[in-house]
Amino acid sequence: MNTTLKSFFTALFIIVLITACGGPDALYDLSGDTYQLRNTDSTLVDFPGDFKGNITLITFIYTNCQTACPVLTLALKRAQEDAASGGYADAVNFAEISFDPARDTPEALRQYAADRHVDLDAGNWYFLLPESEARAKEVVQETFGIRFEKTTPE
């Protein structure tokens, strides 16, 4: 298996594994759903409607996470690089949905992207932000089954 496909499937495996550990089936039919989420340039994006016709790899992060979130971002970043070098970047989107809208402003997400050298200019990477914590719970927890709880440091 060539390096491009290996990286792509590694990223996909990580995303599916983490999603599967958090709840129901890892693959979702979102054809009847639509969520308005804010992108890093503060525009509203219809998710998944604006992504129709492309494969979209998604994961869930928050910018203050220092454990799994950077690893997930790195896996997607490598898949993005491989898609670009393999000539199929136009067929794949990468979306990371925050579940901490109180702290993950568009500016914070842009800084998170810059710190991890994510190529936002490629046009296929999206950091998406629900409008409120209640909306984050609806999108992330109720739709995708990814449970989260806000805690304070001890």
Side-chain angles (χ1 to χ4, degrees), residues 31-89:
S31 58
D33 297 332
T34 186
Y35 302 99
Q36 287 220 317
L37 304 171
R38 195 156 307 280
N39 200 357
T40 53
D41 63 2
S42 295
T43 60
L44 288 176
V45 173
D46 285 326
F47 182 81
D50 289 346
F51 299 88
K52 285 188 181 184
N54 284 4
I55 295 169
T56 302
L57 300 178
I58 63 170
T59 191
F60 306 93
I61 63 153
Y62 62 101
T63 59
N64 288 304
C65 172
Q66 299 300 313
T67 54
C69 301
V71 174
L72 291 169
T73 301
L74 178 61
L76 286 183
K77 178 181 175 285
R78 287 182 177 156
Q80 181 192 39
E81 291 167 349
D82 288 343
S85 66
Y88 57 92

Side-chain angles (χ1 to χ4, degrees), residues 128-149:
L128 302 175
L129 183 63
E131 294 177 23
S132 65
E133 287 187 35
R135 189 68 169 149
K137 199 169 265 264
E138 179 184 345
V139 173
V140 177
Q141 191 164 302
E142 293 174 16
T143 299
F144 292 98
I146 306 297
R147 306 277 180 244
F148 64 91
E149 181 179 342

